């Protein structure tokens, strides 16, 4: 079985920081990319950031310059450093793993509020 374990979500004040982690384990052959999407209530799920196994990165326009994605290929783990958080960043954050199939984590809540 395939398991994605997410951690690092929570409540933070505007301007604060959080670091999300997602570790993949199980019967995954080759991981081509990992990253994060997010979805707020009543909104579409949108890309936050993604990173390929070769290190190429892509960011959603609203987080460019504030978030940084990185990975540890040996651990099949992806990280998302989120700085200068805004209330608009409040959402459920879902880790994804792109292999021969696409896998999703269960989601972790990020709430930015004073």
């Amino acid at each position: 079985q395939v398991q994605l374990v997410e951690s690092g979500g929570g409540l933070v004040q505007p301007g604060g920081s959080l670091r999300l982690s997602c570790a993949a384990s199980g019967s995954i052959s080759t991981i081509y990319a990992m990253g994060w999407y997010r979805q707020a209530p009543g909104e579409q799920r949108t890309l936050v950031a993604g990173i390929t196994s070769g290190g190429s990165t892509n960011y959603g326009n609203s987080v460019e310059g504030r978030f940084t994605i990185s990975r540890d290929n040996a651990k099949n783990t992806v990280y998302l450093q989120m700085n200068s958080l805004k209330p608009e960043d409040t959402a459920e954050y879902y880790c994804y793993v792109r292999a021969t199939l696409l896998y999703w984590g269960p989601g972790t809540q990020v709430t930015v509020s004073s």
Side-chain angles (χ1 to χ4, degrees):
Q1 69 184 64
V2 175
Q3 184 178 20
L4 303 184
V5 179
E6 302 163 337
S7 63
L11 175 65
V12 66
Q13 293 184 349
S17 298
L18 287 173
R19 180 178 172 88
L20 303 183
S21 299
C22 176
S25 63
S27 300
I28 303 178
S29 56
T30 301
I31 296 177
Y32 300 108
M34 301 182 71
W36 300 87
Y37 279 71
R38 69 186 184 188
Q39 186 171 23
E43 303 290 336
Q44 294 294 115
R45 185 175 296 190
T46 59
L47 176 70
V48 179
I51 186 168
T52 69
S53 60
S56 296
T57 59
N58 191 46
Y59 295 93
N61 185 260
S62 63
V63 308
E64 184 75 47
R66 298 187 296 121
F67 292 8
T68 302
I69 191 167
S70 61
R71 90 293 185 199
D72 185 335
N73 288 344
K75 296 180 179 180
N76 287 339
T77 299
V78 64
Y79 307 94
L80 184 67
Q81 180 66 45
M82 304 186 293
N83 298 326
S84 302
L85 283 161
K86 305 174 180 179
E88 307 93 271
D89 296 316
T90 296
E92 188 85 358
Y93 284 68
Y94 298 90
C95 176
Y96 74 87
V97 172
R98 175 66 170 91
T100 55
L101 299 175
L102 180 63
Y103 302 95
W104 292 96
T108 184
Q109 179 67 35
V110 171
T111 301
V112 185
S113 177
S114 59

